[in-house]
Amino acid sequence: MTLMRPTAARSDTLLSTWRVTSDDGTEVTVRLPDDAMLRAGRDPEASGGAETGWFRGGDYDYVTQWSAPHGDGEVVLVFEGVQGDADVTVNGEKVGTVRSGYTETELTITEVVRRGEVNDIRVIVHHRDQPAERWYPGSGLYRPVHVVTRPLTHFGTDSVRVTTTEIEGARAGVRVDVRMSGEAPASTRVTARLTANGETVAQGLLHGASGAIHLDVTDPRPWSADTPFRYELLVTAETDDDVLDEWRSRVGLRTVSVDAQQGLRINGKRVLLAGACIHHDNGLLGAATHRAAEYRRIRILKDAGFNAIRSAHNPLSRDLLDACDELGMYVLDELADYWFVRKSRFDHSDRFRDTWRHDADALIAKDRNYASVIMYASGNEIPETATAAGVELSREITEHFHTTDPTRPVTVAINLFLNAMVSMNASPYSAKGDRSEEAMAGSTEANVMINHIGRLMSVVSRLPRADRASREAFATVDVAGYNYGIARYKGDAQRYPHRVILGSETLPSDVAKAWRLAQEIPAVIGDFVWAGWEYLGEAGVAVWVPGKKAGLAKPYPYVVAGPGMFDLTGRPDASLRLAQAAWGVLDAPVITVRPLDRAGQPYVRSAWRVTDAVESWSWRGSEGKRAEITVYSTADEIELVVGDRSIGRRRAGRNTEFRFSFTTQWESGTVRAIAYRDGTEVSRSELSSASDDVSVQLRPEANTLLADGDDLAFVHVELADADGVVEMLDDDHVDVEVSGPAELVGFGTANPAPVDSFLSARTTTYRGRALAIVRSTGETGEVRITARSRHRGETTVTLRAISSDASVSHEAPRLA
């Protein structure tokens, strides 16, 4: 018997620690992921203006070292994402460039690496010119950077492709396509072994270094958002006495199909998408893609009732996709926010025609083996889709996606109102990418009109002109993505019986109506609300502000956009409750109250917010003020009781979009909502005002922290009484101190117009709350977090940093 030698040398090393020099001469040492734009700070004169949340751009010089192992084989640098065009050198020799903030880039450095020695790696990032996007982009090495060593004959990027060909009752078919790189011996054979909980469920063999392996799986456990079960797949290439290389991953078995008669089907069963549009930033962490933050976001969204996310408007991170696969969340991954028409002054629309194929290929290579990714989007609110050139490009992009990955449908998100404007030459833009001109007004102009003329947008979207300006582009894709176009669903489903309709972007106030239409019309497969999670940039577009007149964007120091169903700290907004009632996941009534410190003031509202109300009855000093109360519930009737006094009963339900409105004078104590169905009480809820013993309190989301150098702990800072009731009108300065094997990496609030930096250890609470984010430094031990309020005392909480060998809910990153 011949003993096989171990697998040839393969390693995947995260390059974590870097020295960064900013263009102002400042030098710091950082651990990736790093968002240099947070350090650049904010300024009312920042060139990006409200679009970037008044953060400055900048150029950055990143330097690190890597000790290369001895041996031969291929060595590559993998950048999961760099914000800003970047030049990369190894040992002083240029090895390539990175020119997209969201496209994973692999640079071969085999010829310049010094084996067995320390190698110098340098990345110079150019990101001074802003605005480069229509929202906050971040700067620098904001996603992980790896150095990967592979055997001479190996599985490279996208060289193992897993497809579930069928799921029929007690059987599933799986095809594993392999294509090895390098010179493979004639005796090479490749085996694929699928296991579940350590037991082999299917195995297949391929003679040769490329081809397809077919696996038959009995009694399969299909992946879905409800049951996200994944198998382990091990693919091994070997000769008679050598293991050449191995590839392993967790994979879900699932099929996707869609048509206008049966809608979207996952594993043969109809699914309606209750979706959230999300941007790429992580709030107080800026754009930095921390794995634990990505998992937290998906976990919170799923617990709230969402089953899908749309990557608005660029490819998602691997960490977020890992979370979606593991926790169960459908994904619509989007290629771009612009094509060849410029939307912001320094975007790269001028080179889109030359780069989109490469970027699409990189997107597909990253997404291909994720069961959670069920659809691609070629673009968002692309005004050129109203033109012949744009329609032709849409056809080309769709065909490219179909050829490269025929397993997933493709959509394009079209703002029908915007396309109608373009067809009337009402939206001036530059198709030449000439940065000497002003950036196009297209999407921004449409958004201004949506905000100011409200429902007239629905009228315009129903006009024959809007249909003519979109139908040719819709004919180029599998699924027609409607941004703010629910008024067309019924008519278009009849006019175009083969068209599949997706609400790719919907106003929060329209969620209940959109969900009802999705339930009634087979061709409508779901809805994505704008937005599921609060984001930085587009400052103030959805914030309700005092006064009688306001522009779409708001002045410094506004930083958030404002439409999030979860705020910057991860707390639910009142607008979420409308969606939850529509989805049928609201078990008890939810009481919301418009801020009492704003009672009686005129306010400029936004179409992207249902309300500015919050879930609190704690408004110290507001006795006698008019309280506007809205209760969300799926019940037939709601009775509101303030103290021992019944304010009255209201009838509502589906026809009134699950909202019950009351007005009364505020008084301290309690307010209760009692829900009735068919005259019988079915549930109740209660809010209380805070007592006088308010103090600063710390409430961690978990009491342990993984000591891996990357894990995060999220600790809520609250000014609350002994019962945990937070006071809305008693804000204070709070300082946070962290000791032990962890460091503070983010501290701030949901305030739409903060003055404190998220990198500071001091902040001013907003509505009695703040959030501290702590990162492991890699050692085990006790982590002490102390909060000191200027007027409300101090408190300390202790977390345990536990061994990285411990079981956690999110798995280690992986690259093929």
Side-chain angles (χ1 to χ4, degrees), residues 167-469:
I167 297 178
E168 295 287 346
R171 178 188 172 277
V174 179
R175 189 181 72 243
V176 181
D177 292 291
V178 297
R179 185 187 68 256
M180 297 197 73
S181 299
E183 296 184 5
S187 60
T188 298
R189 58 185 182 275
V190 180
T191 59
R193 184 161 64 96
L194 197 68
T195 62
N197 301 319
E199 295 187 6
T200 300
V201 298
Q203 188 164 319
L205 174 66
L206 168 70
H207 290 284
S210 63
I213 303 172
H214 296 274
L215 304 177
D216 287 320
V217 183
T218 57
D219 298 322
R221 299 177 63 179
W223 185 97
S224 70
D226 293 328
T227 57
F229 181 82
R230 293 178 300 163
Y231 294 83
E232 293 188 1
L233 178 63
L234 173 63
V235 181
T236 305
E238 59 192 32
T239 61
D240 292 338
D241 56 356
D242 280 312
V243 174
L244 300 174
D245 199 11
E246 289 184 344
W247 181 97
R248 65 179 67 232
S249 180
R250 288 182 175 151
V251 296
L253 307 187
R254 67 102 184 91
T255 60
V256 178
S257 57
V258 65
D259 61 52
Q261 288 69 49
Q262 301 181 73
L264 173 67
R265 297 180 303 285
I266 306 295
N267 306 319
K269 298 179 180 178
R270 189 176 186 223
V271 169
L272 292 180
L273 300 176
C277 294
I278 62 172
H279 271 315
H280 69 290
D281 72 79
N282 270 308
L284 305 181
L285 296 167
T289 303
H290 289 271
R291 187 174 180 81
E294 301 285 58
Y295 267 78
R296 174 180 182 257
R297 177 156 48 164
I298 295 305
R299 188 178 294 110
I300 289 174
L301 287 170
K302 182 167 185 177
D303 288 346
F306 290 99
N307 69 358
I309 58 171
R310 173 187 174 217
S311 69
H313 301 288
N314 300 94
L316 293 170
S317 71
R318 282 181 178 266
D319 289 330
L320 198 74
L321 292 179
D322 283 342
C324 291
D325 251 32
E326 183 180 341
L327 302 177
M329 183 73 74
Y330 299 118
V331 173
L332 168 58
D333 213 358
E334 199 156 72
L335 175 65
D337 181 51
Y338 54 78
W339 288 354
F340 57 81
V341 165
R342 189 156 44 85
K343 287 185 176 179
S344 53
R345 187 174 183 188
F346 293 103
D347 67 26
H348 297 303
S349 53
D350 55 336
R351 66 192 190 197
F352 181 81
R353 290 184 185 275
D354 299 323
T355 60
W356 71 260
R357 288 178 179 82
H358 172 272
D359 292 347
D361 288 343
L363 168 63
I364 294 167
K366 172 177 61 72
D367 289 4
R368 192 187 300 277
N369 294 327
Y370 283 103
S372 55
V373 180
I374 60 168
M375 194 182 311
Y376 299 119
S378 59
N380 169 67
E381 294 193 349
I382 306 296
E384 53 266 47
T385 56
T387 70
V391 170
E392 180 56 32
L393 183 54
S394 180
R395 182 175 293 105
E396 288 181 28
I397 296 175
T398 301
E399 290 176 353
H400 186 82
F401 271 104
H402 284 167
T403 300
T404 311
D405 181 4
T407 68
R408 294 176 172 95
V410 178
T411 186
V412 62
I414 291 179
N415 186 314
L416 300 166
F417 183 46
L418 172 59
N419 274 36
M421 291 168 57
V422 172
S423 72
M424 294 184 290
N425 294 318
S427 180
Y429 58 82
S430 167
K432 300 177 181 179
D434 182 358
R435 290 179 180 150
S436 65
E437 301 175 15
E438 289 299 314
M440 73 157 283
S443 294
T444 301
E445 186 176 66
N447 289 341
V448 170
M449 291 189 177
I450 291 168
N451 196 45
H452 289 290
I453 67 178
R455 294 303 162 190
L456 184 57
M457 178 189 73
S458 294
V459 176
V460 174
S461 71
R462 276 181 260 173
L463 296 176
R465 181 179 290 274
D467 180 30
R468 292 194 299 270

Side-chain angles (χ1 to χ4, degrees), residues 2 108 170 187 189 216 264 270 340 453 467 478-479 554 583 610 617 642 675 762 778:
T2 301
T108 301
S187 60
R189 58 185 182 275
D216 287 320
L264 173 67
R270 189 176 186 223
F340 57 81
I453 67 178
D467 180 30
D478 307 299
V479 176
K554 306 303 185 296
W583 299 333
V610 173
W617 190 245
V642 176
R762 169 176 288 185

Side-chain angles (χ1 to χ4, degrees), residues 620 691-697 718-720 727 729-734 787-795:
R620 179 171 299 174
S691 58
D692 292 334
D693 63 337
V694 170
S695 63
V696 63
Q697 300 180 19
E718 299 173 339
L719 303 181
E727 173 55 51
L729 300 180
D730 193 26
D731 286 316
D732 196 9
H733 298 303
V734 177
R788 297 182 179 89
S789 168
R790 178 179 294 180
H791 300 109
R792 296 298 175 181
E794 71 174 65
T795 188

